[in-house]
Amino acid sequence: MADTPAISFRAFGQTDIGLMRERNEDAFLMLPKHAFFAVADGLGGLPEGSLASSLTVQCLQKWFEAPGRNGKLDLRALFSLANSRVYDEGRVVSNDVGIGTTLTAFRLLRGQIEIGHVGDSGLYLFREGEPAKRLTTDHTMAEEMRARLQPGDNMYIPDYYTHTLTRCIGQAGEIEVDTFSIPVKAGDRLLLYTDGVTKVFHEEELNYEAWAHATPEKLVAHLIKIGNERGGPDNITAVAVYL
């Protein structure tokens, strides 16, 4: 592709099954040549979560690596392509319920990142001297209920609503995708994650860890190591990009 990032970066990603799952249903994608990164977390409540997440990242990779590809990236169209591919495969695997996955991705381009997001994986921005900034909002029943609350309102939200998705890759019809761009600068650090990370780390702790490790390799390895020491309740996947 003709466009190249104006900011240099270092990146590293890794996925781990954790200690409580029988299989790893996470997947991630790093395309440094295109400054494009993504994570996907297959839905455990549906069949073949690992198939859904792997199909999704394969679909993205094939789009970028298609011969002669030099057009502008349209994240909505790219997510829609992945959604259709996973939906079609889901009809084969289980016509009644299908298969599904989350997907969070970004591309670094000319001093900004272009972000696409569906589900409850996500993206953090760490900027020195500032609090961590979570750039994505979970598409869950719990978040939708919280969004309807007025100041001072209280509402009981069942714990399982925190993990009940309202959007995923693999659903019928058009997929609603959060897409937006934000400026970034040299020195910023980015973390793509599946919810295996946020189940065991609080935001303030992630901010500390992002600055405690000089390389993305060390940060990711540490997150996985500590996540498993804390019980490894889920698959854990992290992609760290240091600008």
Side-chain angles (χ1 to χ4, degrees), residues 38-229:
V39 295
D41 181 358
L43 272 63
L46 298 178
E48 298 294 342
S50 58
L51 175 62
S53 61
S54 63
L55 275 177
T56 295
V57 298
Q58 288 169 19
C59 184
L60 303 184
Q61 183 168 4
K62 287 180 180 178
W63 187 91
F64 275 97
E65 296 181 351
R69 178 73 67 193
N70 58 8
K72 177 177 172 56
L73 175 64
D74 183 336
L75 280 171
R76 290 185 187 276
L78 190 56
F79 273 54
S80 179
L81 183 67
N83 184 66
S84 296
R85 178 71 182 89
V86 174
Y87 175 80
D88 289 345
E89 186 65 25
R91 302 282 69 75
V92 176
V93 172
S94 174
N95 190 53
D96 291 335
V97 297
I99 62 177
T101 181
T102 71
L103 177 60
T104 305
F106 76 87
R107 186 181 181 210
L108 174 64
L109 183 65
R110 294 190 299 272
Q112 67 176 14
I113 53 173
E114 302 171 349
I115 303 161
H117 170 65
V118 171
D120 65 353
S121 48
L123 176 63
Y124 269 106
L125 168 66
F126 306 106
R127 181 164 290 166
E128 195 165 13
E130 298 182 11
K133 181 179 291 186
R134 188 173 181 173
L135 302 179
T136 51
T137 300
D138 290 348
H139 299 136
T140 61
M141 291 282 290
E143 286 300 322
E144 288 199 356
M145 292 174 70
R146 292 188 187 103
R148 293 195 293 267
L149 293 176
Q150 299 298 317
D153 285 353
N154 290 306
M155 179 185 295
Y156 170 70
I157 300 177
D159 182 65
Y160 68 90
Y161 277 18
T162 303
H163 308 292
T164 303
L165 296 190
T166 55
R167 298 187 217 171
C168 71
I169 297 293
Q171 64 189 54
E174 290 297 316
I175 180 72
E176 185 179 357
V177 185
D178 291 349
T179 59
F180 52 98
S181 300
I182 68 161
V184 292
K185 61 184 181 180
D188 287 348
R189 298 181 176 185
L190 298 154
L191 180 69
L192 275 170
Y193 62 88
T194 59
D195 67 347
V197 173
T198 48
K199 284 178 180 176
V200 291
F201 288 95
H202 295 296
E203 186 169 283
E204 295 80 6
E205 190 176 13
L206 286 174
N207 195 43
Y208 171 82
E209 298 295 354
W211 298 109
H213 301 280
T215 68
E217 292 85 352
K218 289 181 178 179
L219 172 60
V220 170
H222 180 79
L223 295 180
I224 291 175
K225 175 178 178 290
I226 299 302
N228 283 330
E229 288 178 359

